[in-house]
């Protein structure tokens, strides 16, 4: 679910259906899970309509019509980085992406051998931020699991739909991601935050006294005043105009610093696309738009 409102009657019914479902089935695929759930949906009627619709929409996605994991376990055995991709314009695909994320976190946490790190990259994290992601940010580090999040600006957090205020989500993400690389941004609020995050350094301000004589000429009297001031290490104007490939790195070293990340020249190769075997017709006998919708 997108939100966790325990007091909702319909949410409570959905949770009860799911508890009953997982207690009687060992299904490995969403279509099979839906087939097992249909009698329970008939029992509770319209009170489970939301869960019924969501499972139906998930079962209609071709990618879910398989019980093959696509070699996901190899990442845990050999190391690597998992990037969960999908269409941000499809709510059902986004739900599936979040479900995969939750499953990866479960697998990473329940490993017997945690010597190899599990790396998860959430690109454009505003689409994937949910309760599971927020919880994982503060709990998976001791499981040797690392999360990499990317976003465009602070405005991205305004688009996150959760029961917490967007400002709270932003603070949770920032507090639990100690290592940060910031590129140029046109968003002034984000640039100001980066400047504040990087801290200040001691500077010197010099001034001199002048006066206007009887000939209306400005004259300096030779006195200079030097004042110690505190100024940002990286001014917001600099952050807004960083050259391409240049970033501000913080958290990795003792002092925020500029780093250059040049383009890496690679040889283009054709990577074979893995396609999981589909379920048999008997396993997904009910999985058709005509039967389900």
């Amino acid at each position: 679910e997108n939100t966790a409102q325990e007091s909702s009657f319909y949410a409570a019914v959905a949770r009860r259906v799911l508890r009953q479902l997982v207690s009687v089935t060992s299904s490995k695929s969403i279509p099979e899970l839906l087939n097992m759930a249909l009698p329970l949906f008939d029992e509770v009627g319209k009170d489970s309509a939301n869960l019924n619709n969501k499972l139906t929409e998930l079962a209609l996605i071709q990618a879910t019509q398989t019980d093959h994991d696509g070699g996901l376990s190899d990442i845990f055995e050999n190391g690597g980085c998992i990037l969960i991709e999908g269409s941000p314009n499809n709510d059902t695909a986004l739900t599936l992406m979040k479900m995969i994320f939750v499953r990866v976190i479960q697998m990473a946490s329940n490993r017997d051998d945690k010597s190899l790190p599990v790396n998860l990259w959430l690109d454009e994290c505003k689409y994937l931020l949910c309760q599971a992601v927020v919880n994982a940010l503060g709990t998976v580090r001791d499981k040797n699991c690392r999360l990499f999040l990317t976003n465009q600006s602070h405005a991205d957090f305004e688009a996150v739909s959760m029961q917490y205020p967007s400002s709270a989500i932003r603070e949770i993400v920032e507090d639990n991601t100690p290592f940060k690389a910031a590129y140029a941004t046109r968003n002034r609020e984000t640039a100001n935050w980066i400047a504040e995050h990087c801290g200040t350094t001691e500077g010197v301000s010099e001034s001199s006294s002048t006066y206007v004589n009887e000939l209306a000429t400005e004259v300096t009297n030779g006195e200079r005043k030097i004042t110690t001031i505190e100024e940002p290490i990286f001014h917001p104007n600099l952050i807004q105009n960083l050259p391409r490939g240049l970033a501000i790195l913080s958290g990795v070293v003792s002092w925020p610093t500029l780093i250059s990340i040049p383009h890496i020249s690679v040889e283009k190769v054709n990577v074979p696309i893995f396609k999981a075997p589909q379920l048999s017709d008997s396993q997904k006998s009910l999985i058709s738009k005509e039967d389900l919708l």
Side-chain angles (χ1 to χ4, degrees):
E1 295 288 345
N2 293 328
T3 58
Q5 298 176 353
E6 301 293 340
S7 60
S8 170
F9 168 76
Y10 297 102
V13 172
R15 290 168 65 87
R16 178 168 64 83
V17 169
L18 290 174
R19 285 198 302 270
Q20 291 180 265
L21 188 61
V22 298
S23 66
V24 298
T25 180
S26 58
S27 171
K28 295 182 179 180
S29 71
I30 292 177
E32 291 175 303
L33 192 69
L34 176 60
N35 285 336
M36 295 291 294
L38 290 178
L40 296 175
F41 290 145
D42 291 338
E43 177 186 335
V44 297
K46 64 179 182 179
D47 295 340
S48 65
N50 190 44
L51 177 62
N52 190 345
N53 289 336
K54 287 188 175 182
L55 275 180
T56 300
E57 291 172 354
L58 285 168
L60 290 172
I61 296 179
Q62 189 175 10
T64 68
Q65 298 178 14
T66 183
D67 56 8
H68 197 281
D69 65 0
L72 188 62
S73 57
D74 294 342
I75 299 294
F76 298 94
E77 297 174 1
N78 304 317
C81 183
I82 300 173
L83 171 62
I84 301 174
E85 288 187 316
S87 172
N89 300 319
N90 187 320
D91 289 339
T92 304
L94 287 175
T95 298
L96 180 60
M97 293 165 65
K98 295 175 183 178
M99 292 170 66
I100 295 174
F101 176 86
V102 173
R103 184 58 187 145
V104 171
I105 290 296
Q106 290 173 342
M107 295 173 69
S109 302
N110 295 327
R111 292 179 296 164
D112 293 329
D113 181 9
K114 298 182 177 64
S115 57
L116 282 178
V118 174
N119 302 304
L120 275 171
W121 179 15
L122 280 71
D123 193 20
E124 298 292 350
C125 66
K126 67 179 178 181
Y127 297 112
L128 289 176
L129 279 178
C130 59
Q131 189 67 46
V133 175
V134 172
N135 292 342
L137 283 170
T139 59
V140 298
R141 277 175 288 186
D142 60 339
K143 307 294 193 302
N144 204 6
C145 185
R146 305 165 183 173
L147 304 183
F148 300 87
L149 282 69
T150 60
N151 67 296
Q152 297 293 332
S153 70
H154 276 185
D156 285 356
F157 293 100
E158 301 292 336
V160 177
S161 177
M162 287 183 63
Q163 69 269 33
Y164 303 133
S166 59
S167 58
I169 298 298
R170 187 189 70 191
E171 290 183 11
I172 291 173
V173 172
E174 291 171 353
D175 289 344
N176 287 280
T177 50
F179 307 138
K180 296 179 176 65
Y183 292 85
T185 174
R186 295 301 180 186
N187 186 289
R188 186 67 181 185
E189 180 186 352
T190 303
N192 288 334
W193 179 87
I194 295 172
E196 293 176 1
H197 170 74
C198 292
T200 59
T201 185
E202 189 177 272
V204 174
S205 174
E206 182 177 334
S207 61
S208 59
S209 300
T210 61
Y211 66 95
V212 179
N213 61 16
E214 62 275 8
L215 298 177
T217 303
E218 187 175 281
V219 179
T220 301
N221 61 10
E223 295 182 2
R224 291 192 309 162
K225 184 178 181 181
I226 299 177
T227 306
T228 301
I229 60 173
E230 192 176 16
E231 57 186 6
I233 298 175
F234 297 107
H235 195 276
N237 291 344
L238 171 65
I239 297 171
Q240 288 188 288
N241 295 279
L242 284 172
R244 187 176 183 181
L246 201 64
I248 298 174
L249 183 68
S250 65
V252 179
V253 291
S254 57
W255 199 259
T257 184
L258 286 171
I259 59 170
S260 176
I261 306 178
H263 293 287
I264 301 174
S265 298
V266 297
E267 180 182 353
K268 185 177 181 179
V269 296
N270 292 321
V271 179
I273 298 176
F274 172 82
K275 186 175 181 180
Q278 285 194 326
L279 296 171
S280 64
D281 292 337
S282 60
Q283 288 174 302
K284 59 173 184 175
S285 58
L286 296 178
I287 308 308
S288 68
K289 291 185 179 180
E290 292 75 15
D291 292 331
L292 291 175
L293 296 181

